[in-house]
Each structure stands twice: as C-alpha cells, then as structure tokens.
Amino acid sequence: MAQLSDAIEQFIKELMDQEAQIELRRNELAHHFGCAPSQINYVLATRFSVDHGYIIESRRGGGGFVRIVRMQEHADADFLNTLLSRVGNSIDEDSAMAIVAHLKDRGMLTDREALLMRSALQENALSLPINAKDILRAAVMRNMLRQVFKNQEGVDAQ
C-alpha cells in the first residue's frame, strides 16, 4: 500500500512541477492507478496538507474535482496566517515537524535552524501531560513561525 501511495504522491508532484495549482478528478486518478478513490483521499490528506505546504479544495458530485494549490514559497502575510491558523491553540508533534520540514524545503530555514526548531518541539522536550504538551508546543511554534517570517523579511529587504 505504501508503494501505491508513494506512486500517487510522486505523480501529483510531477504534475505540480509546472504549475502552482492543479485540478484533478479523484475518480479518474483512482482509475489510472487501479485503486479506490479513498486511496486518493488518503494520499491527499496525509501528503498534501497545509503542514506540507498545500491547500486542498474539493467539490463533490458528478463534475467534482480536487484542486491542489501549493502555498507561496516566499514569506508573505497570507502564508504566515495560514500556518498560524493551522497551528492554532494545539498541535501534535508530527504536524509541527511537517511544518518545519516544509519551511526547510522551501529554503526559509537552514539545516541548523530546522534542527533547533525540531529539538524545541519534540515530545521529550516538553515534560507535561500530553494535552498540555500540544498546547505549549503550539505557543512555541507560533512564536518561532513569527520569528522565521521576520527573519525572512530582513533577507528580502537586503
């Protein structure tokens, strides 16, 4: 199953190499890969989420489609607001790590900065009950995101 998910992900990413957004028909994609539409949903939910730098829009029904939009690669207020909204008041470790990886992939973080952020957001760095960890992690993550974007503005201004 993982190989199929990897193949679907790679196919979609190759389509997105030329475009910042694409529209797909879930049933056609499922037919192309010989799988159920739910497998397409799984790949979209786990590999094309906001955490990974994508926004998914979908319309169901006979003329239904899935639109995948790659978030802006540069630091702008909309991108920051989208990330802050995603973090919200609570975020789990996996989601926080995916956001850090996305920022690193987009060149907004150095390897060292990403490593420091991951260290601060790890489960074992926060010695609190689990629900409190997710709340504290979100507060720390929001502050770090704001600083990353401030730093990026300074780079853009030079």
Side-chain angles (χ1 to χ4, degrees), residues 5 13 15 19 21 23 31 34 40 54 76 82 96 101-102 106 117 121 124-125 133 136 153:
S5 294
K13 285 185 174 179
L15 290 175
E19 305 290 332
Q21 80 176 29
E23 285 187 13
H31 180 71
I40 305 301
Y54 299 92
D76 64 11
T82 300
H102 172 69
R106 296 296 181 220
M117 287 179 75
L121 298 167
N124 62 359
K133 285 182 182 189
L136 178 58
E153 288 172 6

Side-chain angles (χ1 to χ4, degrees), residues 35-107:
C35 65
S38 61
Q39 181 68 32
I40 305 301
N41 290 342
Y42 170 79
V43 171
L44 293 174
T46 59
R47 301 182 185 199
F48 292 91
S49 65
V50 171
D51 300 347
H52 294 94
Y54 299 92
I55 298 172
I56 303 291
E57 301 169 2
S58 133
R59 185 175 48 152
R60 301 198 184 273
F65 66 88
V66 175
R67 180 179 298 130
I68 305 170
V69 181
R70 186 179 320 126
M71 287 197 258
Q72 297 294 344
E73 294 184 15
H74 55 83
D76 64 11
D78 289 339
F79 185 31
L80 174 59
N81 289 334
T82 300
L83 289 175
L84 291 174
S85 175
R86 167 57 190 98
V87 171
N89 293 322
S90 176
I91 189 167
D92 62 67
E93 183 180 6
D94 290 339
S95 297
M97 296 303 167
I99 291 172
V100 171
H102 172 69
L103 294 173
K104 184 181 170 301
D105 289 345
R106 296 296 181 220

